Amino acid sequence: VERFVNEGRASKAIKSDHVLPVNEIGLLPNGAPYLCMECLYGLDLADLLARDGPSGLPIQRAVHFTVQILRGLQAAHAINIIHRDMKPSNCFVITHDGEEDWVKILDFGISKIKDPGSSSLTQTNSALGTPLYMSPEQARSPRDVDHRSDIYSVGVILYELLSGRTPFFSESGEFTEILFQLFTADPPPLRETRPDLPEELAFVVHKALAREVADRYSSAVELAEALA
């Protein structure tokens, strides 16, 4: 219940057209918690990729989606909220005021609100987030991540939008196989899968995916500017 309420509190606090806001949080007479939010019509990026680009989307479209995601995260990070579960299925694509391919970020259910003095829901050894999109530092210790963990996850999303696959995946289906790759391997060069990509764009994606936090872009704004 606390996580459920946390999602509502986090989403309601973020002021961005690229984040789905929660309009109301409350309890029903029987004690069941509820969230009230806008009903969206469209599909998420995972389904869109499967439909329109199983081998990758056109470059401009992939970057267009990613820049919008970064705008939403910029607003969240500005008030010290880290999403921690960024993945294509949490990015919903709608038509907004007549404009197609508009992204709304969903599901702040495991977000971390960095508020000094507040109690954290995160335990040191709990693995939160979806492994394929998780940063190395989040895999080690979810309670210690900062906003650059979201930057890594956006790098994974863009890599997949451009190539049709995530940088790392598990042949065996085991979480430990993905962890081993996260901690020891570099993502396969994007231009091996997508040779038509400009070198500069491939460089931006791989910098977002740097294993060491300090080697990544320092903010959503910085990554968006590099993409632009």
Side-chain angles (χ1 to χ4, degrees), residues 39-54:
C39 179
L40 299 181
Y41 296 91
L43 75 173
D44 64 47
L45 267 183
D47 288 338
L48 183 143
L49 188 62
R51 185 192 70 183
D52 294 352

Side-chain angles (χ1 to χ4, degrees), residues 137-191:
E137 66 272 20
Q138 184 172 345
R140 288 190 196 98
S141 177
R143 73 184 304 173
D144 295 328
V145 301
D146 66 14
H147 62 279
R148 289 170 294 182
S149 182
D150 283 346
I151 300 297
Y152 181 95
S153 299
V154 173
V156 178
I157 292 171
L158 180 54
Y159 188 108
E160 184 176 15
L161 291 178
L162 291 169
S163 68
R165 51 156 287 176
T166 54
F168 302 122
F169 58 93
S170 172
E171 298 282 1
S172 64
E174 293 292 330
F175 182 50
T176 50
E177 184 180 353
I178 297 172
L179 290 183
F180 183 76
Q181 295 175 56
L182 266 180
F183 297 151
T184 64
D186 292 323
L190 191 49
R191 295 184 80 233

Side-chain angles (χ1 to χ4, degrees), residues 179-218:
L179 290 183
F180 183 76
Q181 295 175 56
L182 266 180
F183 297 151
T184 64
D186 292 323
L190 191 49
R191 295 184 80 233
E192 286 183 2
T193 311
R194 187 79 186 263
D196 64 315
L197 288 185
E199 288 186 16
E200 296 86 352
L201 177 57
F203 173 83
V204 170
V205 178
H206 283 282
K207 182 171 180 178
L209 292 171
R211 197 179 311 135
E212 297 299 326
V213 177
D215 294 336
R216 283 177 220 150
Y217 293 98
S218 62

